[in-house]
Amino acid sequence: MNTPKNNRPASVVMDEKADDIQLENKAYDSNVDPDFERKSDALRRKLDWRFMPMMVLMFCLNHIDRNNLAAAKITKMTQEIGLTDVQFQTCLSILYVGYLTAQVGSNIIIHHVRRPALYICFWVVVWGVVSTVTGTVRNFGGLLTCRLFLGFLECPYFAGCNYLLSRWYTKNELALRMAILYSGSMISQMFGNLLAAGLINGLDGALGHEGWRWLYFVEGAITILAAVVAVFILLDYPETTTGITEEERTIALKRIILDAGEADVDEHNRHWTWGFRAAVSDYKVWLLVVLATAENAANSYSKYFPSLAKTLGYSNTITLLLAAPPWFVVWCVNFFWSWHSDRHKERAFHVAIPMCFALVGMIIAASTSHEMVAARYVSLFLMVLSYSGYAISLTWVANTVARPPAKRTVALALVNSLSQTGNICAGYMWPTMYAPSYRPSFIACAAVFVFAISLTFFIRQCLIWENLKLEQAEQEFLARQQEADVLKVQGTDAVVAAANITGVALVDQLAMKRGWRYML
């Protein structure tokens, strides 16, 4: 195995290395451009402008396209195409069956393609076409088919974006960026309802089409246009993108190496199935799958949010307008909460606390009558706060399964896809027969929130145990090397690649790698 040219001799005194290990990144500082931090900040700002606006817009359109059914339900759509209550629930849930089936395979593919931005935008165009076609359906079978294909075509987007961002941002930057991305779902709930109110009422009867059909026509066309524009804005991987200078490419690679102590590359000669096996054999991945599933099930109220707002007793237009303010509040909270999580390098409490507020909202809604308008409306504001915690829980996956990238991409896809079983169940948690109180539904969601909060702290404790194991293993390694009075300089392909990129000694790179810990 080749080592960097400036590597130290293989034998070094262990006492001298103990201090270096404590310093971690300081060994790197003397070997890089003194303006590295300034250049890193400049690159990060550039990345934010190249990634976040278009990703958020397309994720917003993603949720608008899938949630149009909820907005259309309060019109005469169900009567016009002859939907029963169970058929409507099935159409709502079938999207997540398609969403669940292909996401792992898609993320394995995106890990190996050189143009992930083009790959992502292709699927956005195709789902935009299907969303537009949904406006032409005439019966239950047509709507069910469109919803199934829509879920299948949407599945590469969110997990793919999460993985692409994890290739550019450090773990202390990732929560805010993923929260910004996930804010697209909140914007869709906020402005999607306002847009739906305008389209349904303003275009009803235009060219002989009902207003709810225009909802699909217009929003599907906007989705296609956004994807075409995004192709020329989004970046690919740091190693392959053409949208940055060579100096910026080097800075991008060094940023990730400093964060993890090794390059963001897979070991040589690893078959693609290795990443899949590594992810499915990690118990932490499955705990995070269960957590995300529980969160999706507990957040099922969002699929029926216009219907819940309708119980306040106002007209369709006023109902859609009233559904927007709670999402504006959580959209604002989301940015602060994610920034706070990154700043304090903490995840578990930032996931659990918003769910506690949502639990209070569920209790208020379950214990009050729908005629108590003020209490019910306040409960809606509290419920939606759970979304600020859900965004951080997705970041927790990337932080917990940080390396190698082949494992991380499968883990992100597994969590995001299998957790959709919670959304499949969610479609049947709010039947019309429970209206207008929906008390059994609120109680069921409250119970799931209690489970999710408990599981969050159990995962945190598991990661504490894992960190203790890492600490013990490092101490045992150092003790063995001290007995031999020598430190053997050897590392994985990823560590050697990192040393070559940063220009530091391999022994220093190994010291940086050994300082890595799970984020709690």
Side-chain angles (χ1 to χ4, degrees), residues 55 59 76 99 108 118 126 268 304 315 376 418 421-422 428 453 464 472 484:
M55 278 190 172
F59 193 52
K76 297 180 180 180
Y99 202 88
I108 291 175
L118 183 61
V126 180
H268 294 313
Y304 288 86
S315 66
R376 273 297 179 93
L418 296 183
T421 54
Y428 297 93
I453 293 167
I464 290 174
Q472 182 179 1

Side-chain angles (χ1 to χ4, degrees), residues 267-280:
E267 295 296 298
H268 294 313
N269 302 319
R270 293 285 195 186
H271 193 265
W272 67 266
T273 56
W274 178 87
F276 180 82
R277 294 195 303 270
V280 298

Side-chain angles (χ1 to χ4, degrees), residues 216-355:
Y216 285 100
F217 294 154
V218 173
E219 293 177 353
I222 294 173
T223 299
I224 296 170
L225 177 62
V228 172
V229 174
V231 170
F232 302 98
I233 297 176
L234 297 182
L235 299 174
D236 297 307
Y237 297 132
E239 301 86 352
T240 61
T241 190
T242 58
I244 58 176
T245 66
E246 286 304 313
E247 182 183 30
E248 288 174 329
R249 190 189 314 279
T250 302
I251 294 294
L253 294 172
K254 288 181 178 180
R255 277 164 37 84
I256 300 302
I257 290 167
L258 284 174
D259 186 49
E262 64 180 19
D264 199 19
V265 297
D266 295 316
E267 295 296 298
H268 294 313
N269 302 319
R270 293 285 195 186
H271 193 265
W272 67 266
T273 56
W274 178 87
F276 180 82
R277 294 195 303 270
V280 298
S281 61
D282 189 338
Y283 79 95
K284 298 185 293 297
V285 172
W286 293 106
L287 288 176
L288 291 164
V289 166
V290 176
L291 174 61
T293 302
E295 288 181 286
N296 278 332
N299 289 334
S300 61
Y301 61 85
S302 65
K303 314 298 182 297
Y304 288 86
F305 208 75
S307 297
L308 297 179
K310 181 70 174 175
T311 64
L312 299 178
Y314 296 98
S315 66
N316 290 344
T317 302
I318 298 299
T319 293
L320 290 172
L321 295 176
L322 287 174
W327 295 104
F328 175 74
V329 171
V330 72
W331 179 73
C332 296
V333 170
N334 182 54
F335 291 118
F336 166 76
W337 199 237
S338 300
W339 169 83
H340 194 268
S341 177
D342 275 347
R343 181 174 183 116
H344 291 275
K345 300 178 176 60
E346 200 283 331
R347 296 291 185 253
F349 282 95
H350 286 83
V351 171
I353 290 175
M355 288 194 286

Side-chain angles (χ1 to χ4, degrees), residues 76-273:
K76 297 180 180 180
M77 173 192 175
T78 54
Q79 293 90 339
E80 289 171 0
I81 62 177
L83 289 183
T84 66
D85 194 32
V86 173
Q87 287 176 333
F88 175 83
Q89 293 168 347
T90 302
C91 287
L92 196 65
S93 296
I94 197 69
L95 179 141
Y96 300 101
V97 174
Y99 202 88
L100 185 153
T101 53
Q103 196 165 117
V104 174
S106 174
N107 255 32
I108 291 175
I109 292 172
I110 199 174
H111 173 62
H112 292 282
V113 300
R114 291 180 59 84
R115 294 292 310 280
L118 183 61
Y119 176 83
I120 289 171
C121 292
F122 167 78
W123 291 109
V124 177
V125 169
V126 180
W127 100 52
V129 172
V130 172
S131 180
T132 305
V133 171
T134 306
T136 67
V137 299
R138 299 290 174 180
N139 51 47
F140 168 66
L143 181 61
L144 188 71
T145 302
C146 285
R147 293 284 293 181
L148 177 62
F149 276 98
L150 186 64
F152 181 83
L153 297 170
E154 285 185 349
C155 74
Y157 183 75
F158 186 61
C161 286
N162 280 344
Y163 177 65
L164 182 56
L165 292 177
S166 73
R167 292 288 293 267
W168 286 93
Y169 290 99
T170 68
K171 67 182 180 182
N172 294 333
E173 299 167 350
L174 202 54
L176 179 58
R177 273 72 189 181
M178 285 192 178
I180 292 172
L181 171 61
Y182 198 73
S183 71
S185 68
M186 304 167 198
I187 295 171
S188 73
Q189 295 280 7
M190 181 169 45
F191 290 107
N193 289 324
L194 298 177
L195 183 59
L199 292 174
I200 290 172
N201 289 279
L203 294 178
D204 190 32
L207 300 179
H209 297 300
E210 296 86 355
W212 67 267
R213 295 186 187 276
W214 280 107
L215 189 63
Y216 285 100
F217 294 154
V218 173
E219 293 177 353
I222 294 173
T223 299
I224 296 170
L225 177 62
V228 172
V229 174
V231 170
F232 302 98
I233 297 176
L234 297 182
L235 299 174
D236 297 307
Y237 297 132
E239 301 86 352
T240 61
T241 190
T242 58
I244 58 176
T245 66
E246 286 304 313
E247 182 183 30
E248 288 174 329
R249 190 189 314 279
T250 302
I251 294 294
L253 294 172
K254 288 181 178 180
R255 277 164 37 84
I256 300 302
I257 290 167
L258 284 174
D259 186 49
E262 64 180 19
D264 199 19
V265 297
D266 295 316
E267 295 296 298
H268 294 313
N269 302 319
R270 293 285 195 186
H271 193 265
W272 67 266
T273 56

